[in-house]
Each structure stands twice: as structure tokens, then as C-alpha cells.
């Protein structure tokens, strides 16, 4: 997922610090916003937590949209023929790390769901039951899978030294 514009076909040049901040915002605001929006008090008369959760998800989507046009996302998503050897090596390392982390998170999620079924009579552990819960998990996984390689690229690149 990369947004190419005529004005910036190689992606918007973004400092690694800004990109890191946007990735941190994306990876923290989205899940916290979903928890607040879909939490136990989402149906109260004064749904302030639901509104705050919706705002957090909206800010996470704004960070996602900004990152979609970044040079980090371009490098993570471009075909091999459009990247030089250095960019290919960086992208391959980042993709390997992203795949490892994503696969580990999926395996942990499946392990949690299985253990929850084993201990359902002893512990009251949360599980997605409504379509809204599954929708939030689905889009969270999509966002993570689309942006994780670019996040590793942003953390791999050193910011320019200041004079």
C-alpha cells in the first residue's frame, strides 16, 4: 500500500523521527481507540469514552494516511526493479523482521484464543464476540501488515547528524 503522487513519485521525504512518531501513534492510538470505543461502557447514556475512542481511531487513520505517501512506505512496497541494491537489502531485512513479528503476533493470538477455551470455566478472559470486535481486529491486522515493513525501515535508518 503506497500512494504515489505526480509531485512526489518517490514518496514524501520524511525524517526518521517523524516517521517513528507517526508509527508509534498509529500502533498505540488504533488499539486503545478500539478498546475505548468497543469497551463495556460503550452503551451508557454519556458515551464519552466511545467518542474519545473514535477520535483516537480517526487520528490513527490520519497517521496511516500520512505514512501511505512516505518514502519509507514506497521502499517497502515498490517492485524490485525500481529499487537499487542498498534499498533492496534494507527492504528485505525489514520485510523479514516484519513477517517474523507479524507471524509471532498471530501465533500468540491463536494461542490466547485456544487457552481461553481451555480455561473458560476458571477465568473470564475477553474474546471477540460481536462483528464490531472482529472488524476492529481485522482492520488492525491489515494496518499492521501493510505498515510494519516501513516501520522497520524507519527504525533502521539513522537520522541525519546535526552540525
Amino acid at each position: 500500500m503506497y500512494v504515489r503522487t505526480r509531485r512526489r513519485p518517490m514518496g514524501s521525504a520524511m525524517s526518521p523521527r517523524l516517521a517513528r512518531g507517526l508509527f508509534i501513534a498509529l500502533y498505540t492510538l488504533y488499539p486503545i481507540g478500539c478498546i475505548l470505543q468497543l469497551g463495556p461502557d460503550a452503551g451508557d447514556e454519556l458515551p464519552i469514552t466511545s467518542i474519545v475512542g473514535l477520535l483516537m481511531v480517526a487520528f490513527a487513520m490520519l497517521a496511516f494516511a500520512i505514512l501511505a505517501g512516505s518514502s519509507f512506505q514506497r521502499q517497502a512496497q515498490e517492485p524490485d526493479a525500481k529499487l537499487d541494491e542498498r534499498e533492496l537489502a534494507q527492504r528485505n531485512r525489514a520485510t523479514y523482521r516484519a513477517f517474523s513479528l507479524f507471524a509471532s503476533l498471530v501465533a500468540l493470538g491463536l494461542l490466547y484464543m485456544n487457552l481461553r477455551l481451555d480455561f473458560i470455566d476458571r477465568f473470564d478472559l475477553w474474546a471477540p464476540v460481536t462483528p464490531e470486535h472482529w472488524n476492529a481486529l481485522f482492520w488492525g491486522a491489515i494496518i499492521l501488515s501493510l505498515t510494519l515493513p516501513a516501520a522497520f525501515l524507519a527504525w533502521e535508518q539513522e537520522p541525519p547528524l546535526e552540525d
Side-chain angles (χ1 to χ4, degrees), residues 88-110:
L88 272 173
Q90 286 177 335
R91 197 248 328 252
N92 289 343
R93 275 192 310 274
T95 302
Y96 176 77
R97 290 175 183 156
F99 172 77
S100 298
L101 179 61
F102 187 78
S104 298
L105 290 173
V106 169
L108 284 173
L110 292 173

Side-chain angles (χ1 to χ4, degrees), residues 16-99:
R17 285 187 187 135
L18 175 61
R20 292 170 190 166
L22 288 171
F23 282 117
I24 289 171
L26 176 63
Y27 296 151
T28 56
L29 291 177
Y30 182 79
I32 293 171
C34 288
I35 290 168
L36 290 177
Q37 194 174 16
L38 301 172
D41 64 340
D44 292 349
E45 296 100 31
L46 184 63
I48 190 71
T49 57
S50 181
I51 293 169
V52 170
L54 182 62
L55 288 173
M56 291 175 88
V57 169
F59 282 123
M61 290 299 112
L62 179 62
F64 182 70
I66 293 169
L67 288 166
S70 72
S71 58
F72 295 109
Q73 193 67 25
R74 178 202 65 84
Q75 185 178 353
Q77 301 295 324
E78 284 280 24
D80 291 353
K82 293 190 176 191
L83 299 174
D84 62 25
E85 291 176 8
R86 179 190 57 82
E87 288 176 325
L88 272 173
Q90 286 177 335
R91 197 248 328 252
N92 289 343
R93 275 192 310 274
T95 302
Y96 176 77
R97 290 175 183 156
F99 172 77

Side-chain angles (χ1 to χ4, degrees), residues 90-156:
Q90 286 177 335
R91 197 248 328 252
N92 289 343
R93 275 192 310 274
T95 302
Y96 176 77
R97 290 175 183 156
F99 172 77
S100 298
L101 179 61
F102 187 78
S104 298
L105 290 173
V106 169
L108 284 173
L110 292 173
L111 178 66
Y112 170 82
M113 295 300 281
N114 193 25
L115 289 175
R116 181 194 168 276
L117 289 176
D118 290 344
F119 296 110
I120 198 163
D121 55 340
R122 292 185 226 165
F123 302 108
D124 187 24
L125 299 174
W126 179 86
V129 290
T130 66
E132 291 83 10
H133 293 161
W134 286 106
N135 194 25
L137 286 173
F138 172 78
W139 286 109
I142 293 294
I143 289 169
L144 192 63
S145 68
L146 289 175
T147 60
L148 206 50
F152 276 103
L153 285 171
W155 257 272
E156 184 178 283

